[in-house]
Amino acid sequence: MDKQTEIELQAAAFRRLQKHLMEDRTDVQNIDMMNLAGFCRNCLSRWYQEAANEKGIEMGKEEAREVFYGMTMDEWKANYQTDASPEKQAAFKVAFEENVTKKG
């Protein structure tokens, strides 16, 4: 497979993951994703931001989130985010430390 086709397939897979998380499974909470898989929608938007910055495109955290979410974080939270139990919040602190803080 040539490099351009590989890039196009990777981009298509990313767009499908984004659609799945943003349209098909809005019921899945970021905290649950982080606790189980070690990443969430915010991580994906951060990776998008980092890729843009590496290409010399200035993009901040909120702008990247809005691009990925298709709305502001305030809109997302109002429409889809639910309260997390103290147990989920404690597990999140561990998962965040292991998967975000230590990795960079």
Side-chain angles (χ1 to χ4, degrees):
M1 175 183 318
D2 66 272
K3 191 66 173 171
Q4 184 59 38
T5 300
E6 181 181 1
I7 290 168
E8 290 171 7
L9 295 175
Q10 290 169 340
F14 175 82
R15 287 189 300 270
R16 184 60 187 97
L17 173 62
Q18 182 182 27
K19 179 186 181 304
H20 182 73
L21 294 173
M22 304 313 299
E23 295 176 22
D24 303 338
R25 293 305 309 265
T26 56
D27 60 311
V28 177
Q29 298 296 303
N30 279 338
I31 196 167
D32 295 326
M33 290 176 58
M34 180 60 82
N35 291 348
L36 181 64
F39 79 99
C40 68
R41 293 171 185 90
N42 292 335
C43 296
L44 290 165
S45 69
R46 188 182 79 247
W47 298 337
Y48 187 92
Q49 174 194 2
E50 290 169 356
N53 294 161
E54 287 173 11
K55 290 284 190 184
I57 301 167
E58 289 189 34
M59 180 178 291
K61 179 172 80 171
E62 293 307 317
E63 183 182 0
R65 284 183 176 180
E66 196 165 334
V67 168
F68 185 83
Y69 280 79
M71 62 185 76
T72 66
M73 279 303 298
D74 288 341
E75 291 172 308
W76 174 265
K77 288 177 181 181
N79 289 321
Y80 303 110
Q81 189 167 309
T82 60
D83 291 333
S85 69
E87 295 81 16
K88 285 184 181 182
Q89 291 177 23
F92 174 82
K93 287 181 183 179
V94 172
F96 190 87
E97 175 67 26
E98 290 176 351
N99 296 289
V100 178
T101 306
K102 286 185 180 176
K103 291 186 179 183

